[in-house]
Amino acid sequence: MGATSSWVEINASIVQGSGLGPVDFIVAISKLKPRYSTNKIMKYADDSYLLIPSTNSELITSEIDHVTTWADSCNLKLNHSKIQEMIVWRPMRGLGVDLPKVTPGLARVKHMKIL
């Protein structure tokens, strides 16, 4: 006979496949706003993209902490292993580009697939 799992108290739930799941997520995600008005959050299905201008690069960690707090308040879990940093710029001829420091704990990538 196989082993059984231990009992765990469930404090919130939506039955998978129910009509309430997507509606509940839409209501929750609609409340997600950036901490600072100069930054933007783009939302696509269950993915979000945080856009921060280089003048605000020191706010990256604060914004990620803000999104984590929002997720916790909605009983959601942010997948920190999927968080990546990508620098986008239009280089000008003859001018060097000083990139912001790498944000600790984030992988800086040159390419990103957005579905």
Side-chain angles (χ1 to χ4, degrees):
M1 198 148 126
T4 59
S5 301
S6 60
W7 287 93
V8 177
E9 185 177 326
I10 299 174
N11 59 12
S13 178
I14 297 287
V15 176
Q16 186 173 357
S18 79
L20 291 177
V23 174
D24 187 43
F25 182 76
I26 289 168
V27 169
I29 197 80
S30 70
K31 296 175 184 175
L32 176 60
K33 308 281 187 228
R35 176 174 277 168
Y36 304 97
S37 62
T38 52
N39 302 330
K40 304 291 180 217
I41 294 180
M42 308 302 291
K43 306 167 199 172
Y44 301 99
D46 63 348
D47 287 330
S48 297
Y49 301 92
L50 182 58
L51 307 175
I52 300 177
S54 61
T55 55
N56 288 355
S57 62
E58 74 281 354
L59 302 176
I60 293 171
T61 301
S62 177
E63 284 285 11
I64 292 172
D65 290 345
H66 175 69
V67 173
T68 301
T69 300
W70 165 83
D72 290 343
S73 74
C74 296
N75 209 19
L76 298 170
K77 185 171 175 136
L78 191 64
N79 188 345
H80 286 271
S81 69
K82 288 187 170 185
I83 298 176
Q84 299 176 328
E85 176 181 52
M86 186 170 84
I87 308 292
V88 178
W89 80 93
R90 287 186 276 183
M92 297 181 179
R93 291 188 180 151
L95 297 177
V97 176
D98 291 330
L99 296 178
K101 295 178 186 175
V102 174
T103 304
L106 294 184
R108 184 172 282 178
V109 297
K110 292 184 179 183
H111 305 280
M112 190 178 293
K113 185 183 279 190
I114 299 175
L115 302 174

